[in-house]
Amino acid sequence: MRNAPTILHLDMDAFYASVEQASKPSLRGKAVVVGGLGPRGVVATASYEARVFGVHSAMPMAQARRLAPNAAYLVPRFALYREISEQVMALLRELSPLVEPLSLDEAFVDLEAGGTAWDEASARLAGIKLRVDIRAVTGLTGSVGLAASKMLAKIASEQAKPDGLVVIEPGSERALLGPMPVRTLPGVGPATGDHLRRAGITTVEELAEAGEDELVRLLGKAHGQALYAMALAHDERPVVAEREAKSVSVEDTYDVDIHDRLRIGLEVRRLADRCVGRLRGAGLSGRTIVLKVRRYDFSTLTRSETLRGPTDDPAVVREAAARLLDSVDTTGGVRLLGVGVSGLADYTQEDLFAQAMPAQAAETPEETGAEVVAERPEPEERSWRAGQDVRHAEYGHGWVQGSGLGRVTVRFETPQSAPGRVRTFSVDDPALESADPLPLVPDPPHPPARLGRSGSGRHGAAPRTPEERSDQVSSEPASLPKSWSGTEGGETTSRP
């Protein structure tokens, strides 16, 4: 481990919810919850005002509504989040070529590799400047942790939340970690935490005192040795700029279980097309097609098929997904479907037509009734989702507060305006249309970064969103002794 706190960890504060508050003046300082709004939706991010009521990431949306019934519940706007994330990642890449994104709102930076910092003072200055630049470019706040290792830098940023900076000086690590719960350490989830608790180990200090041999006996060689090293504050993991995406996937959870086999097939086809869209957007192809099915009883099945070479051909992916669906019993209904592609590559194998139907047959709607249904235009009234950007011919830019019973309620305001007025329209009002989000900062001092190949996770591009991560990290900061709490201005240095 290096002898200076030159590893920086940035974590944007309640990122999705903060973006929504910044773009909607009427929501600033109020409880905001972003996520799926259906009966089976989950919380992606909750503002700090909503967290006071116990709402947190990955919580079922129905439970969040019970805890905070008066909060604003909004659908995510991922295109905007990705654009702002790219602006933040561009600022990080100005500090160092070694930037390791973990998600849209979180990344490690090796300041020493960029010549930006070499000791505690220069690292602190870099962290302070970064926070100022992020606010100037995006209008948002981020919390910064600085330490000599990735593990400690992340712990420091969690202690800095919200809108702060914490430096952990080399030599103070053991005193810092000792009283913390074992769940603070990377790799200690609920199951491992319960296993250690039953063995009488609840703090990092007790973990270190148990010794390596005891931890290997309890957890196995690899996990036990790694955990013992972290309990001693040893973390040699480098910041890795290249984080190749392992897979690209999409999935949908349905408000009501789907029983009709034809509709299930149509949904799989639609998901396959969306998956290929993401694949092509990332400039990738893949050779293993994966189908995920969660049935009515919550049992989850996955099926996969490996092709002869990588592809980004929608017909090939659709055909493979359909074959995989044929092997799954959907009797009783399904509540979730997903299609993914793994075994990714930067090129496409051209000669793959033998693995799919002939192109003409695959694209001919008359071949199956399913195709006819899939292509039929929907005559239903337009759907307006809470939080969606809209524009009215007379009143200008606004966002949807809610809709139902043939009416849609819109609040007309912009990121730079005062809280706006609310008006209600018919859902088919021709003067009302969808709109693109407005920039949070109209003229940032740094030019906004162009949207990159966000799906690839390369060169600092944000690789995945919280809802695309299966290893969801708790949004709650690790607890520290009271003596470590921040001072005014959100900046503090840890002391043993």
Side-chain angles (χ1 to χ4, degrees), residues 235-303:
D235 179 17
E236 302 296 335
R237 294 174 301 159
V239 175
V240 181
E242 293 286 336
R243 290 178 59 87
E244 293 291 342
K246 296 181 178 180
S247 65
V248 174
S249 63
V250 296
E251 62 182 43
D252 277 344
T253 300
Y254 303 99
D255 295 344
V256 179
D257 291 348
I258 303 175
H259 294 82
D260 182 72
R261 185 75 179 189
L262 177 60
R263 187 187 166 195
I264 293 172
L266 287 172
E267 289 294 318
V268 168
R269 181 184 180 88
R270 182 179 61 83
L271 290 167
D273 288 342
R274 281 175 53 197
C275 184
V276 169
R278 287 192 179 184
L279 200 66
R280 288 182 168 181
L284 296 171
S285 60
R287 63 193 303 262
T288 300
I289 315 302
V290 181
L291 175 71
K292 178 179 178 182
V293 179
R294 180 166 297 150
R295 299 189 290 192
Y296 69 98
D297 58 358
F298 287 89
S299 61
T300 303
L301 304 175
T302 57
R303 299 287 186 269

Side-chain angles (χ1 to χ4, degrees), residues 13 27 53 73 101 122 128 186 251 374 384-385 397 435:
D13 299 322
L27 297 183
F53 299 98
Y73 289 87
S122 56
I128 292 172
E251 62 182 43
W384 302 102
R385 303 185 301 165
H397 189 91

Side-chain angles (χ1 to χ4, degrees), residues 114 140 151 166 338 486:
L140 305 176
M151 176 185 73
V166 169

Side-chain angles (χ1 to χ4, degrees), residues 112-137:
E112 188 174 12
T116 308
W118 49 91
D119 58 11
E120 188 273 337
S122 56
R124 178 184 290 276
L125 286 175
I128 292 172
K129 182 179 184 301
L130 174 64
R131 293 177 58 226
V132 171
D133 288 346
I134 288 174
R135 186 184 289 273
V137 171

Side-chain angles (χ1 to χ4, degrees), residues 133-184:
D133 288 346
I134 288 174
R135 186 184 289 273
V137 171
T138 70
L140 305 176
T141 64
S143 296
V144 171
L146 291 157
S149 70
K150 291 167 69 172
M151 176 185 73
L152 293 168
K154 182 173 176 59
I155 289 172
S157 70
E158 290 178 341
Q159 171 61 10
K161 281 185 167 292
D163 190 21
L165 181 149
V166 169
V167 179
I168 299 177
E169 295 178 345
S172 67
E173 299 94 349
R174 291 288 300 276
L176 170 69
L177 287 174
M180 289 185 176
V182 293
R183 288 288 304 277
T184 302

Side-chain angles (χ1 to χ4, degrees), residues 58 251 292 464-473:
E251 62 182 43
K292 178 179 178 182
R464 53 199 171 105
T465 67
E467 74 171 13
E468 293 167 336
R469 288 187 293 183
S470 58
D471 53 336
Q472 182 69 42
V473 179

Side-chain angles (χ1 to χ4, degrees), residues 421-467:
R421 298 186 62 180
V422 175
R423 298 183 182 275
T424 300
F425 308 92
S426 169
V427 294
D428 56 2
D429 189 327
L432 189 66
E433 61 182 3
S434 296
D436 292 329
L438 298 178
L440 303 186
V441 178
D443 296 305
H446 293 263
R450 293 180 61 189
L451 281 173
R453 292 160 62 175
S454 58
S456 67
R458 294 185 210 158
H459 301 295
R464 53 199 171 105
T465 67
E467 74 171 13

